[in-house]
Amino acid sequence: MSSIEKSGTYTLGTRTVKRLGYGAMQLAGPGVFGPPKDKNAALAVLREAVEAGVDHIDTSDFYGPHITNQLIREALHPYRDNLTIVTKIGARRGDDASWLPAFSAQELTQAVHDNLRNLKLDVLDVVNLRIMFSAHGPAEGSITEPLTTLAELQQQGLVRHIGLSNVTAAQVAEAQKMVSVVCVQNMYNIVNRGDDALVDALASQGIAWVPFFPLGGFTPLQSSGLQAVADSLGATAMQVALAWLLQRSPNILLIPGTSSVAHLQQNLAVADLVLPAEAINTLNALVA
């Protein structure tokens, strides 16, 4: 059994993927804007990820914009049959690299077609609707209108499955009255546990939870506590943060990103890292 297979698998729509995937956001230039500093290095990371067994890649055409998807196409097309590419729509980039909402029917439709073209696909495996009501995280508000547009694109055969990103529990419930939601992608980690109940609720329904920023929002004291646990286990802080997520719930799919092959290999090695109960208790206490 290869290392990554030890992470286990979970369903993502009609696909079964390994719980250790890869997030492509960092392949674009600084601030996720413009081309990478080293294109060959970016292509090498993508190829190494797939060779190592990654079968779930997370991306978006607003990374770059367009750059990340074009890199994925150049590195990996024609794609392996078992590769699931998940993208997202609902945002666009300003000329100053700002992140702006893009919720209109025209913008969402164009975004789906941009993803199809730049990835060189006829249909997108999973499209997450990214909700941009607030720049600081999930915020309440109806998502019926943009979700209706995405559902119509699904009915046209351009999208297989629908997911949600940056959403509240109420928005998930609203969406589930309209479509089958196969995944939710929110910021979530050891110290950002506001979605604990939602993670568990989705697990009971067989719906994947895809956390981003595994080291996001830590205070210096929390970071020190995490590092102490990592040091005691001979691991990096990122590896411990990812291992905690893997052990938190079986429906959690990881998409750690990097533009370095060496860092990618470190991230994928987390499948071999089993946190002892004492370490988990110490990490759980960091949120208090």
Side-chain angles (χ1 to χ4, degrees):
M1 179 184 292
S2 67
S3 177
I4 188 174
E5 290 175 336
K6 296 177 184 176
S7 67
T9 60
Y10 200 74
T11 56
L12 188 56
T14 54
R15 308 296 290 267
T16 297
V17 299
K18 298 182 184 73
R19 293 181 62 209
L20 261 174
Y22 173 72
M25 185 175 73
Q26 294 185 32
L27 293 183
V32 200
F33 198 72
K37 293 180 180 178
D38 186 338
K39 179 181 176 182
N40 288 334
L43 297 174
V45 169
L46 287 163
R47 290 168 179 149
E48 175 65 21
V50 171
E51 286 301 317
V54 167
D55 57 11
H56 169 208
I57 292 178
D58 180 84
T59 186
S60 174
D61 209 58
F62 56 70
Y63 295 162
H66 313 306
I67 299 295
T68 297
N69 280 353
Q70 291 168 358
L71 289 168
I72 291 171
R73 181 187 66 201
E74 182 173 346
L76 303 177
H77 192 276
Y79 304 113
R80 297 187 180 189
D81 290 341
N82 70 334
L83 181 63
T84 298
I85 299 177
V86 179
T87 189
K88 63 187 71 65
I89 61 175
R92 63 181 177 86
R93 305 304 296 278
D95 293 338
D96 60 352
S98 55
W99 301 80
L100 303 170
F103 282 160
S104 72
Q106 180 179 355
E107 288 172 315
L108 295 171
T109 301
Q110 183 63 53
V112 164
H113 284 281
D114 286 345
N115 276 280
L116 288 167
R117 182 183 65 257
N118 286 311
L119 288 168
K120 201 173 182 180
L121 288 169
D122 296 322
V123 57
L124 299 171
D125 290 325
V126 183
V127 175
N128 287 323
L129 178 62
R130 169 79 178 185
I131 302 305
M132 297 281 289
F133 292 157
S134 169
H136 306 292
E140 296 294 357
S142 175
I143 63 172
T144 293
E145 188 171 345
L147 190 58
T148 297
T149 298
L150 183 52
E152 290 171 352
L153 293 164
Q154 183 184 40
Q155 291 163 9
Q156 292 170 24
L158 301 178
V159 174
R160 286 197 180 93
H161 301 293
I162 292 174
L164 303 171
S165 178
N166 200 43
V167 288
T168 66
Q171 288 162 342
V172 174
E174 179 184 9
Q176 289 181 307
K177 295 176 181 177
M178 301 174 59
V179 299
S180 175
V181 175
V182 302
C183 60
V184 174
Q185 186 181 107
N186 276 13
M187 179 174 174
Y188 180 80
N189 57 42
I190 294 168
V191 302
N192 289 276
R193 303 280 298 275
D195 281 330
D196 269 344
L198 185 55
V199 173
D200 294 335
L202 294 178
S204 70
Q205 299 172 53
I207 296 173
W209 179 266
V210 189
F212 57 82
F213 292 149
L215 292 179
F218 281 64
T219 67
L221 186 60
Q222 289 167 333
S223 294
S224 296
L226 172 62
Q227 189 61 57
V229 171
D231 290 344
S232 72
L233 298 172
T236 68
M238 174 64 95
Q239 287 175 323
V240 171
L242 294 174
W244 181 89
L245 286 165
L246 279 178
Q247 291 179 231
R248 166 63 180 84
S249 180
N251 68 322
I252 290 181
L253 300 179
L254 301 186
I255 51 168
T258 178
S259 58
S260 157
V261 168
H263 190 198
L264 171 72
Q265 292 168 342
Q266 281 189 347
N267 289 342
L268 298 183
V270 75
D272 291 314
L273 179 60
V274 178
L275 301 179
E278 181 180 357
I280 291 176
N281 290 338
T282 299
L283 294 169
N284 286 340
L286 296 178
V287 75

